[in-house]
Amino acid sequence: MIKKLALHALVLATVFSCGVKNQTNDLATDTPIMTSLDLVNIQDDKVNVVINPGRFIQDTVTYRLPRVVQGTYAVSDFGRYIENIKAFDYEGNAMPINQVDTNTWTFANAKNLDRIEYAVNDTFDQEEQGGIGDEVPFSPSGTNIEPKQVMLNLHGFVGYFDALKQNAYQIDIKSPSSFKYTSPLTEIKSTQSEDGAIKHSVFLANRYFEVTDNPMMYGETEVEEFMVGNIKIVLSVFSPNGVHKASEIKEIMAEMMQAQKQYLGDLNSTPRYDILLYLSDTQKPDSPKGFGALEHHTSTVVVLPEQMDPEALAESMIDVVAHEFFHIVTPLSVHSEDVHYFDYNNPTFSKHLWLYEGVTEYFAQHFQVYEGLIDPAEFYVRTTEKINTSRSNYDDAMSFTQMSENILEDPYKDNYANVYMKGALIGMCVDILMRENSDGQRSLRSLLGELSVKYGKDKPFEDDALITEITAMTYPAVGEFLNTHVVGNTPIDYGQMLDKVGLYFAEAEVETNYIQNAGELILSADPARGGVKFNDLVMNNSFWKDKGVQPNDFIKSINGTEVSLANANQILAEVYAWSSGKAIQVELLRGDGEILIDTTTTPTYTKAVTLLENPEATEAQKELRKAWLKG
């Protein structure tokens, strides 16, 4: 396989260096799609793209940008960001173009089509402007084009021809030589201009899926590398104001990912994993606001606020990257036909978001307690918060498989975020049942290992058959649970499930954060005044209560930034990440008066019903809990 790939790359490099078509075989079906992106001559935050597919033999061809990309479960319509599209024949003459819809163009007389050219506008700017249309792509799936940095989620720049979905792509990126870049794609050629100012880097993607699945960062980025077992980790960080250093983040990631690798054991399937971190300057209006991450099979793009404290950034990176890295198990190694043969413009969705996102989120939390990064009490609090959030914010009686299959439609799409709550809890329940029925010898991890061996990254499972297969591979109790609570619409009795491991729900004082009480928001929107106020629950939050805050106190500003409904989510995301010892200034309006809270944060607590270890648990319950939590 290695020799074959090397030979293929050599042939492509030779064809590229000649600068002309291979006259003996220039058919589009038999040659790579030659693609070029110009990062040198950027104007108005736009990149010029040229697509040269080779010679067509049919009369009409169709070219598309993705409507939906994998992992987002939302409509992005990347065709909205294409401008000034042109087509040329082999004589250099302009050809007519027919735009069928937002993401689709057809070209008549395709036998004469030589190339397509267009400009790509970035999506980060559109977040501030409200977007072109109804929705803007989630920031980690979006694109950024500016003099200092270009975020190349390639699905926003490069499309595909219906007739050439399995063709290879040769992607030539022209950039200033001063730009650093990272990419999981194979680089087959690199040259510089005579004056050394411009660099051409040529990458190979074996099919369009690899184009969309391998994001790149170009620009003033910092790059660090380290090994986790036999996996090479490449960390790329763009901090526009130099607030955070890649070398510092590397230490956090290395410790966490070593624990992940130990947790996974042999359950890994990639020699390299890339982390692309874009830190958003929240003081700039055109900076991205959609904080979080988008997984790819062997990489992740993360967008977080640059203004976060180092401790808060570390905690967020642990939670976010832990989740994304576990995607190397599913969907990379275990996925359905809907994932394997994904249609970017008319997608069908698997019934098993509980597996792809839910189990992944469960692993991201469970490994932390299993490997000693957090103590069981913290794990119990996080589990309780997921239970409370899933019950209070989402439809707890909705079939999870039905929701997954119809995730772009009402009323299902409003329940998508529940995959990170109830989906993770489904994973927890299956894990407990696996351990209970095997005397602690098998687990959800071992089940995924068995499924990985049976399928793997190149063999999808049949969507409708998965639960039957899992039941046959495990125990009747697992099948009954999945059919009742995942296929069916019966809410899960978590008290009954967690009693198996000697846990029960009782009121206790628990540590919380500065915008919630154990998952319940202590803030409410105030549309009349265009901002946010504290609600009655603030009286149960020890930090704010000790500072004299009262219900209906209106938040005027936080650390000098005026709070409005427009920027509340962004600012409160930063407040959520506050850690003890942070100097803060909060201006409140109460009646006709102003109140300034100028202080340093201390840990904050609330009284809440939470999971506790039952002092009357039996030895069997304690042993099962020990097997589950490794301690």
Side-chain angles (χ1 to χ4, degrees):
M1 182 65 181
I2 294 174
K3 290 183 179 179
K4 181 179 179 182
L5 178 61
L7 178 61
H8 192 195
L10 177 62
V11 172
L12 291 179
T14 303
V15 172
F16 181 82
S17 64
C18 293
V20 296
K21 293 182 182 295
N22 180 346
Q23 298 298 327
T24 59
N25 185 5
D26 63 348
L27 289 178
T29 52
D30 297 331
T31 59
I33 297 171
M34 311 293 280
T35 304
S36 66
L37 282 69
D38 184 353
L39 307 188
V40 174
N41 300 298
I42 292 174
Q43 295 183 346
D44 299 325
D45 289 354
K46 296 171 187 174
V47 165
N48 290 319
V49 176
V50 179
I51 306 293
N52 186 338
R55 181 167 57 87
F56 289 105
I57 58 174
Q58 58 263 60
D59 292 327
T60 302
V61 295
T62 300
Y63 183 72
R64 304 180 192 269
L65 269 290
R67 174 173 171 258
V68 178
V69 293
Q70 285 185 306
T72 59
Y73 307 101
V75 174
S76 294
D77 281 335
F78 282 99
R80 289 181 292 176
Y81 306 96
I82 301 302
E83 300 180 5
N84 197 28
I85 186 167
K86 299 175 183 177
F88 297 93
D89 64 19
Y90 290 110
E91 303 299 323
N93 302 311
M95 296 180 64
I97 302 172
N98 176 39
Q99 183 162 5
V100 178
D101 57 36
T102 302
N103 306 295
T104 308
W105 297 263
T106 59
F107 303 87
N109 301 316
K111 294 177 183 177
N112 296 321
L113 178 65
D114 180 32
R115 69 188 188 278
I116 304 168
E117 299 181 0
Y118 51 82
V120 177
N121 201 353
D122 67 355
T123 70
F124 282 7
D125 288 352
Q126 305 303 323
E127 294 185 34
E128 176 65 21
Q129 300 170 20
I132 304 173
D134 296 331
E135 298 182 53
V136 181
F138 177 46
S139 298
S141 71
T143 58
N144 182 56
I145 303 168
E146 58 180 278
K148 294 172 64 175
Q149 199 271 349
V150 182
M151 175 62 76
L152 286 174
N153 270 309
L154 288 171
H155 51 245
F157 296 86
V158 180
Y160 62 93
F161 293 91
D162 277 356
L164 306 174
K165 288 182 178 180
Q166 300 304 314
N167 270 48
Y169 282 73
Q170 191 169 317
I171 304 169
D172 174 14
I173 299 179
K174 181 171 73 171
S175 67
S177 293
S178 60
F179 274 14
K180 292 182 180 179
Y181 62 92
T182 55
S183 172
L185 285 175
T186 302
E187 185 175 10
I188 61 173
K189 188 177 178 67
S190 178
T191 60
Q192 282 191 330
S193 60
E194 289 186 6
D195 62 3
I198 296 173
K199 185 171 185 176
H200 280 271
S201 300
V202 185
F203 301 90
L204 173 67
N206 290 307
R207 60 188 178 108
Y208 186 67
F209 166 75
E210 290 189 8
V211 175
T212 67
D213 195 46
N214 290 282
M216 304 181 184
M217 284 181 77
Y218 264 79
E220 297 180 9
T221 60
E222 294 184 341
V223 181
E224 294 282 347
E225 299 180 359
F226 57 95
M227 296 297 295
V228 173
N230 56 353
I231 303 174
K232 178 181 178 181
I233 309 296
V234 181
L235 170 67
S236 305
V237 178
F238 176 66
S239 181
N241 299 298
V243 176
H244 299 282
K245 300 296 182 185
S247 56
E248 297 168 355
I249 299 170
K250 169 188 173 181
E251 295 180 11
I252 300 159
M253 291 294 93
E255 180 183 2
M256 183 267 289
M257 297 181 83
Q258 291 287 358
Q260 284 188 281
K261 179 64 176 66
Q262 185 170 322
Y263 180 84
L264 285 171
D266 295 330
L267 192 59
N268 68 73
S269 53
T270 178
R272 170 173 170 157
Y273 192 85
D274 282 65
I275 303 168
L276 284 64
L277 173 60
Y278 182 102
L279 292 168
S280 173
D281 182 353
T282 56
Q283 304 303 315
K284 292 178 60 178
D286 58 352
S287 293
K289 313 295 188 297
F291 303 131
L294 177 66
E295 90 274 4
H296 297 272
H297 280 52
T298 58
S299 62
T300 183
V301 176
V302 185
V303 178
L304 292 171
E306 187 184 35
Q307 281 73 19
M308 295 178 82
D309 294 333
E311 297 81 6
L313 178 64
E315 184 175 343
S316 293
M317 284 293 289
I318 287 171
D319 279 344
V320 169
V321 177
H323 176 98
E324 303 305 331
F325 183 67
F326 277 124
H327 276 300
I328 67 173
V329 180
T330 180
L332 175 56
S333 297
V334 183
H335 58 260
S336 73
E337 294 166 330
D338 302 85
V339 174
H340 197 77
Y341 304 110
F342 189 77
D343 186 326
Y344 296 90
N345 275 270
N346 188 27
T348 58
F349 292 96
S350 170
K351 296 178 177 179
H352 301 297
L353 272 176
W354 70 271
L355 175 66
Y356 310 132
E357 296 296 344
V359 167
T360 300
E361 174 63 12
Y362 171 66
F363 282 164
Q365 299 301 320
H366 183 254
F367 100 94
Q368 294 186 52
V369 65
Y370 197 83
E371 297 297 335
L373 300 184
I374 61 174
D375 60 27
E378 172 63 20
F379 181 72
Y380 301 155
V381 169
R382 295 184 186 186
T383 301
T384 303
E385 289 180 352
K386 287 188 183 298
I387 292 171
N388 291 341
T389 302
S390 70
R391 285 174 167 171
S392 61
N393 293 2
Y394 306 103
D395 185 349
D396 197 35
M398 178 178 283
S399 163
F400 230 74
T401 53
Q402 190 171 5
M403 178 193 76
S404 300
E405 195 172 29
N406 300 281
I407 198 63
L408 296 187
E409 311 298 329
D410 291 327
Y412 305 104
K413 65 181 182 181
D414 290 337
N415 282 267
Y416 167 71
N418 204 19
V419 299
Y420 304 104
M421 304 299 162
K422 188 174 182 177
L425 297 168
I426 289 169
M428 176 191 74
C429 293
V430 173
D431 196 14
I432 291 172
L433 288 170
M434 288 288 295
R435 295 172 191 274
E436 179 189 36
N437 284 272
S438 66
D439 294 327
Q441 298 305 304
R442 297 179 70 194
S443 65
L444 181 60
R445 257 184 315 156
S446 67
L447 171 61
L448 265 292
E450 293 167 30
L451 287 169
S452 296
V453 171
K454 183 173 183 178
Y455 292 102
K457 64 180 181 179
D458 297 320
K459 180 183 177 183
F461 61 74
E462 184 182 342
D463 212 54
D464 289 338
L466 180 65
I467 289 177
T468 300
E469 284 191 70
I470 289 176
T471 304
M473 293 170 67
T474 59
Y475 310 99
V478 173
E480 181 182 354
F481 172 83
L482 292 173
N483 281 301
T484 302
H485 303 293
V486 180
V487 179
N489 56 13
T490 303
I492 300 169
D493 185 339
Y494 298 105
Q496 183 183 60
M497 182 62 65
L498 290 161
D499 179 63
K500 296 175 183 292
V501 290
L503 301 181
Y504 75 124
F505 291 98
E507 187 174 78
E509 185 176 74
V510 295
E511 189 169 354
T512 186
N513 58 66
Y514 302 94
I515 66 170
Q516 293 175 324
N517 289 341
E520 292 185 292
L521 283 171
I522 61 175
L523 301 164
S524 302
D526 189 338
R529 290 190 281 183
V532 176
K533 64 182 180 182
F534 285 100
N535 59 36
D536 291 343
L537 295 176
V538 72
M539 301 308 294
N540 294 321
N541 188 287
S542 66
F543 176 80
W544 294 115
K545 183 180 179 181
D546 290 348
K547 298 298 177 286
V549 174
Q550 296 180 13
N552 296 315
D553 282 354
F554 183 82
I555 302 176
K556 181 182 179 183
S557 70
I558 296 177
N559 293 335
T561 302
E562 297 280 333
V563 180
S564 66
L565 289 176
N567 67 7
N569 283 342
Q570 172 186 326
I571 293 174
L572 294 178
E574 296 176 27
V575 176
Y576 176 81
W578 282 356
S579 57
S580 180
K582 179 177 176 62
I584 63 167
Q585 285 189 334
V586 179
E587 288 185 281
L588 303 176
L589 299 180
R590 183 183 300 164
D592 296 328
E594 291 191 11
I595 299 169
L596 175 63
I597 298 176
D598 187 350
T599 188
T600 300
T601 56
T602 56
T604 184
Y605 299 89
T606 189
K607 284 279 189 180
V609 173
T610 188
L611 272 176
L612 299 172
E613 295 181 358
N614 188 345
E616 299 179 2
T618 65
E619 286 303 313
Q621 289 171 313
K622 291 177 182 178
E623 283 300 312
L624 186 57
R625 183 169 71 228
K626 183 177 181 180
W628 177 43
L629 301 183
K630 194 183 173 182

